[in-house]
Amino acid sequence: EEALTASEEKYRDLVENSNEIIYTLDEAGTITYISPAVRQLGGHEPEEVVGKAAWDFVHPDAFNELIASFQRTIAGNAEPSEYRLRKKDGDYFWVQTSSKPIYDGDKIVGLRGLIVDINQRKRAEEALSESEDRYRELFENASDLVYAHDLEGRYISVNRAVEQITGYTPEEV
């Protein structure tokens, strides 16, 4: 009994002090447990979330895909998902979840999983994409010939001005 109590305390401490949200859902998608990390990531108290449908907190853009992912996972085909969750204040933040089925004998009775905040990564990806778009626009719309070549001197990229200047299309160059 002492070993069991010590083991339970160790795992409770692990779950309750994790920076990621640990959760369980029943087979209908109702939240049956959510770790205290939901406070720092979403602003919710665990008791405000338990008993509600997981989809109640999902951004509308991700709703259909998340339902389909849930159904695949509940059928035994676990896969990670990325989507936005609604915070208590109404803002959304990006998360990645990974889930595994919970079995009762041979029957799947729910899911358990982990929610990781990936908001910073998504913002960095968006900033990189915007930067690439600006670079591409400058590159393509420059009136001067802009190019890049490899170490052997072969052109690997030229802008559209090459055609006005040389008569060759970018594809030909």
Side-chain angles (χ1 to χ4, degrees):
E1 286 181 19
E2 287 176 11
L4 179 60
T5 300
S7 177
E8 286 176 351
E9 286 177 15
K10 180 172 83 173
Y11 286 105
R12 185 177 310 109
D13 183 61
L14 177 69
V15 168
E16 292 186 357
N17 290 302
S18 172
N19 290 328
E20 286 77 30
I21 298 172
I22 299 168
Y23 66 92
T24 59
L25 307 176
D26 66 15
E27 66 276 1
T30 301
I31 301 165
T32 56
Y33 173 80
I34 195 148
S35 66
V38 73
R39 286 185 194 113
Q40 68 195 61
L41 294 180
H44 300 282
E45 290 299 320
E47 54 273 8
E48 296 171 329
V49 175
V50 172
K52 295 192 175 162
W55 349 111
D56 291 350
F57 301 95
V58 174
H59 191 279
D61 292 349
F63 182 81
N64 290 334
E65 176 52 36
L66 195 61
I67 293 285
S69 177
F70 174 79
Q71 291 169 340
R72 288 189 296 271
T73 304
I74 210 82
N77 301 314
E79 58 189 34
S81 298
E82 292 182 2
Y83 52 91
R84 288 179 287 171
L85 283 178
R86 188 182 72 248
K87 294 181 176 186
K88 188 172 183 173
D89 66 9
D91 284 342
Y92 287 90
F93 67 110
W94 281 97
V95 298
Q96 180 179 43
T97 60
S98 56
S99 313
K100 297 281 186 191
I102 300 171
Y103 290 90
D104 183 7
D106 291 344
K107 183 180 179 206
I108 296 175
V109 295
L111 301 178
R112 79 173 42 95
L114 187 67
I115 297 174
V116 178
D117 181 354
I118 60 168
N119 218 41
Q120 280 187 305
R121 186 190 91 198
K122 285 294 194 176
R123 279 187 280 180
E125 287 173 357
E126 288 173 13
L128 179 60
S129 177
E130 289 171 7
S131 176
E132 288 172 344
D133 290 346
R134 282 193 306 274
Y135 168 78
R136 190 176 304 105
E137 185 176 331
L138 284 170
F139 180 84
E140 288 299 326
N141 294 319
S143 57
D144 294 327
L145 177 58
V146 181
Y147 63 90
H149 61 81
D150 64 16
L151 295 174
E152 282 93 41
R154 291 181 300 231
Y155 292 104
I156 56 174
S157 183
V158 294
N159 67 345
R160 287 183 271 185
V162 72
E163 193 165 0
Q164 294 172 339
I165 296 169
T166 68
Y168 292 105
T169 68
E171 293 77 22
E172 291 171 320
V173 173

